[in-house]
Amino acid sequence: MSYNRIIPLSKRNLIKIVDLYQWGLLNQRPKYKSKKEGILKNLKKLEGFIYKNHKGTIVGLITYNIKANKVIIDFVCSKARRKGIVTSLFIKLGKYCLKHNIKEILSRVSSKDKRTMNLYFKKFRFKKYYSKKTNLNFISYRVKIKPSELINFNK
């Protein structure tokens, strides 16, 4: 899969990705609702990459913050499943981190979302470093991986 469809998040395309971000929030487990104004305000504080399909439509997204030489993933979303979009976004993020000498990638994962757990733990082999049972009766995990491990996940 080529990376020429993955481009950095820019102020110019923020409005276009609000709907995708909101759609992703509604399709995650547990479901989470947010107003478009709140999403746009949040996106203005983040960095990320978007994935465009062959028609130029944005179908995938990964957003993150950089703090203390670590990337903290905010959100990952794809409109098409099992097409390699999220995998491509993760690999792009891993390469970005290596290029900018970022040592670790952190994220959060919910025990309610089995697809996401499989992606993080089985496919990419993120490591759990913290877990907490929530009042909504699921476990929230904090996970981490080194960028070199992320881009070499299938070796």
Side-chain angles (χ1 to χ4, degrees), residues 29-30 109-112 132-140:
R29 290 170 184 80
V109 181
S110 162
S111 66
K112 285 232 179 205
K132 177 183 177 183
K133 188 168 184 171
T134 69
N135 57 354
L136 298 173
N137 206 26
F138 68 90
I139 300 171
S140 176

Side-chain angles (χ1 to χ4, degrees), residues 1-151:
M1 178 152 309
S2 82
Y3 298 111
N4 61 0
R5 295 185 225 167
I6 298 176
I7 60 172
L9 187 60
S10 70
K11 293 193 186 311
R12 171 176 111 244
N13 54 34
L14 287 182
I15 299 295
K16 294 177 183 176
I17 65 167
V18 168
D19 289 335
L20 176 61
Y21 197 104
Q22 190 173 43
W23 177 88
L25 288 174
L26 292 172
N27 284 286
Q28 73 180 14
R29 290 170 184 80
K31 290 187 185 297
Y32 182 78
K33 291 184 181 179
S34 186
K35 294 183 179 178
K36 290 184 179 186
E37 299 82 26
I39 293 171
L40 186 58
K41 184 178 176 182
N42 185 43
L43 285 170
K44 289 178 180 178
K45 301 175 193 173
L46 299 170
E47 296 183 52
F49 296 101
I50 58 175
Y51 188 105
K52 289 186 173 186
N53 66 13
H54 63 284
K55 295 178 182 176
T57 304
I58 299 170
V59 294
L61 165 72
I62 188 166
T63 57
Y64 56 87
N65 280 310
I66 300 174
K67 292 184 181 172
N69 207 24
K70 295 178 182 181
V71 159
I72 303 161
I73 296 173
D74 167 67
F75 194 66
V76 181
C77 174
S78 169
K79 279 237 172 173
R81 296 214 174 114
R82 305 194 63 80
K83 300 287 185 200
I85 294 169
V86 170
T87 299
S88 295
L89 289 165
F90 268 116
I91 291 170
K92 181 73 171 180
L93 178 61
K95 289 181 177 184
Y96 170 87
C97 290
L98 287 175
K99 181 178 178 182
H100 292 87
N101 204 27
I102 293 168
K103 304 293 183 199
E104 204 164 43
I105 300 170
L106 309 173
S107 191
R108 291 184 180 194
V109 181
S110 162
S111 66
K112 285 232 179 205
D113 194 339
K114 300 299 180 199
R115 294 168 304 160
T116 302
M117 286 185 63
N118 285 338
L119 179 76
Y120 276 85
F121 299 133
K122 290 184 179 177
K123 184 169 189 168
F124 292 115
R125 297 190 292 272
F126 275 74
K127 294 163 187 67
K128 298 174 196 172
Y129 69 92
Y130 178 81
S131 63
K132 177 183 177 183
K133 188 168 184 171
T134 69
N135 57 354
L136 298 173
N137 206 26
F138 68 90
I139 300 171
S140 176
Y141 298 102
R142 291 186 186 170
V143 298
K144 63 183 177 180
I145 194 168
K146 293 180 181 173
S148 58
E149 294 171 344
L150 183 60
I151 64 172

